[in-house]
Amino acid sequence: MAIDLKKLNDEDLIKLYPRLINELKNRKIIRTNNIVWGLFSIAHEYYDKGDHDSALNQFKRSLAISEEIGDKPLIARNCNRIGAVLFDKGIYDKAEKFIEKSLSLHRELGEEEHASLTTAHLYLCYKYLGKEYDKNELNNYIKKFGIKNIHYRDNLILYKLLDNESCLKAAYNQIQDKLNVMEDELREKNLNYPIPKQIIEEYNKVMN
């Protein structure tokens, strides 16, 4: 039921004021979250296509707004993706810092699966920086969540870290399942995206 503010006296308006302010704040947060997720989605589209500069720009915009509103899950995800872009650009030390921040937030939030995935991303930085990493932790992650339930992008990372051909096979099969339900034009476009292309080329090299 709508409230006619003009009919309320000063005392009633004062009582109502905190509720109105909270409602406005909530609506602003919802709208802002929608904007952030929109930027994040656009950034990921650029990332999937291999347009790293555009992806990095959009992820940074998304991160800035996430930090402004204090949305820790969004901050964690944006830091992870910024780290991934920087890694692909060969800037491993900066990638490491963003991914470490992402991992810290995922652990703080109790997001166990995200924390495990982010650990794998961090260990890939370690590998390219010449640092040691815990392979047992990665194998335990695979056992716990199941290789078929891990995204093909993350299975590729696990393959690189563990030389586990099962991860590569899983990634390849996931790509094929995705491509099989696409129209021809979209399938060709996705085949030229960096990660699917890398998985297919590596699979053909290793398995044939």
Side-chain angles (χ1 to χ4, degrees), residues 152-168:
Y152 61 79
R153 179 176 57 244
D154 300 308
N155 266 321
L156 177 61
I157 289 173
L158 290 167
Y159 164 71
K160 290 179 178 180
L161 290 168
L162 298 170
D163 292 323
N164 184 338
E165 291 183 2
S166 296
C167 294
L168 179 61

Side-chain angles (χ1 to χ4, degrees), residues 40-67:
F40 185 85
S41 297
I42 291 168
H44 227 300
E45 287 180 17
Y46 283 128
Y47 175 73
D48 290 341
K49 294 174 184 177
D51 186 348
H52 293 125
D53 290 335
S54 297
L56 189 59
N57 180 50
Q58 296 299 327
F59 279 131
K60 284 184 174 179
R61 289 178 64 196
S62 180
L63 175 61
I65 300 172
S66 301
E67 289 178 332

Side-chain angles (χ1 to χ4, degrees), residues 14-200:
I14 290 170
K15 290 178 181 178
L16 190 61
Y17 180 77
R19 288 172 53 196
L20 291 172
I21 292 300
N22 285 334
E23 180 62 22
L24 287 170
K25 284 182 178 177
N26 289 335
R27 290 186 184 187
K28 181 182 178 182
I29 289 171
I30 290 169
R31 287 196 298 270
T32 305
N33 272 334
N34 289 339
I35 292 170
V36 175
W37 279 114
L39 288 171
F40 185 85
S41 297
I42 291 168
H44 227 300
E45 287 180 17
Y46 283 128
Y47 175 73
D48 290 341
K49 294 174 184 177
D51 186 348
H52 293 125
D53 290 335
S54 297
L56 189 59
N57 180 50
Q58 296 299 327
F59 279 131
K60 284 184 174 179
R61 289 178 64 196
S62 180
L63 175 61
I65 300 172
S66 301
E67 289 178 332
E68 183 180 338
I69 63 175
D71 191 317
K72 289 184 179 180
L74 279 169
I75 294 170
R77 283 157 179 76
N78 277 297
C79 285
N80 179 290
R81 293 295 85 203
I82 289 171
V85 175
L86 291 171
F87 178 88
D88 287 348
K89 289 169 71 69
I91 312 173
Y92 305 127
D93 53 343
K94 288 186 178 179
E96 179 186 19
K97 288 181 173 61
F98 275 99
I99 295 172
E100 282 178 341
K101 182 175 180 179
S102 175
L103 178 58
S104 176
L105 285 169
H106 283 311
R107 285 174 172 166
E108 178 186 331
L109 294 165
E111 296 178 335
E112 185 179 359
E113 186 170 2
H114 284 299
S116 297
L117 289 171
T118 305
T119 297
H121 298 175
L122 181 61
Y123 285 175
L124 193 61
C125 288
Y126 285 0
K127 180 175 181 177
Y128 280 74
L129 288 168
K131 298 181 179 182
E132 294 184 358
Y133 56 91
D134 187 351
K135 291 187 176 183
N136 288 331
E137 185 177 358
L138 298 174
N139 282 316
N140 288 336
Y141 163 66
I142 293 171
K143 290 177 183 177
K144 183 168 185 176
F145 293 102
I147 198 166
K148 292 182 179 179
N149 297 318
I150 299 172
H151 193 279
Y152 61 79
R153 179 176 57 244
D154 300 308
N155 266 321
L156 177 61
I157 289 173
L158 290 167
Y159 164 71
K160 290 179 178 180
L161 290 168
L162 298 170
D163 292 323
N164 184 338
E165 291 183 2
S166 296
C167 294
L168 179 61
K169 289 178 184 177
Y172 177 83
N173 289 333
Q174 288 165 330
I175 289 291
Q176 294 304 318
D177 289 343
K178 182 179 178 181
L179 295 172
N180 287 339
V181 297
M182 290 180 177
E183 299 292 335
D184 290 345
E185 184 177 346
L186 185 59
R187 185 185 301 116
E188 287 302 314
K189 185 185 294 185
N190 273 263
L191 279 169
N192 287 315
Y193 285 177
I195 294 176
K197 188 175 182 180
Q198 187 179 353
I199 289 169
I200 292 169

